[in-house]
Amino acid sequence: MGHLDHATFGWLPPALSYAMASIGAALGLRCTVRALGTSGRSRRNWLLTAASAIGTGIWTMHFVAMLGFGVTGTDIRYDVPLTLLSLLVAMLVVGAGVFTVGYSRDRSRALLIGGLTTGLGVASMHYLGMAALRLHGTVTFDPLLVTVSVVIAVVAATAALWAALNIKSPGAVAMASLVMGAAVSSMHYTGMLAVGVEVTPSGAALPGATVMQFIFPLAVGLGSYLFLTSAFVALSPAAREHRLGAAPVPFDDARAERPATAQAP
């Protein structure tokens, strides 16, 4: 059995992965709050941004954490198509949950369905990412810990959607995102505790890309996307500000601003 190390670079990858999960959650929650205050195309666009932000944050969290993953006795490579598929799955399932909440009139039912769908999707993303591992040996999973990780994913997703429906103020969103970041990180590391590797020493070359060739550049790119989108959302006016900017001038003020006209004798 190979020795698994989840912190080959110390605490930097876990700390960064938590930060990515929290930023993605904060951005997604904020966009969902904006979406619920609008309608039509604007609502759709805000929900799309929320889905991409949360999905990107979760995926980036997973693979930034995987930067610190190592197994003694074997190198590690990643299957590129499977890794990209895991990113697509993350965005699609989070999008399904967010749109369910954003458009359903029955909030309780939407929360239940959306939380279950999104949680199972997040778990699928995680284990697709693990399926992308290529190493000299056999990877096994503890069924009990896998089940626990899936339950954590569903609970975390449901809590995130509940927060999107019920939390409005920026401060509350920030606190909720920190909790969500912790929940997503807990799901990841619970899933990693379920992993066991039986190493089979070999000198053969492994297929796939190294973590620095593929995962690191992609994670940096997606992290930059999160920061730039956060800046865009922070600078864009909220729906209330739009309404205030477009508000008609009160009648008295409008009359006061009209130029005086001479009255007929």
Side-chain angles (χ1 to χ4, degrees), residues 32 54 56 76 85 101 134 137 154 167 186:
T32 306
I54 298 174
T56 297
I76 293 177
L85 178 61
V101 167
R134 297 292 179 263
V154 172
I167 294 177
S186 298

Side-chain angles (χ1 to χ4, degrees), residues 190-217:
T190 301
M192 294 308 295
L193 287 176
V195 176
V197 177
E198 189 70 40
V199 175
T200 305
S202 173
L206 288 166
T210 67
V211 69
M212 289 300 176
Q213 287 175 335
F214 176 60
I215 301 297
F216 181 72

Side-chain angles (χ1 to χ4, degrees), residues 59-60 83-84 87 211 213-224:
W59 187 94
T60 306
T83 303
L84 292 176
L87 173 59
V211 69
Q213 287 175 335
F214 176 60
I215 301 297
F216 181 72
L218 188 56
V220 169
L222 292 174
S224 300

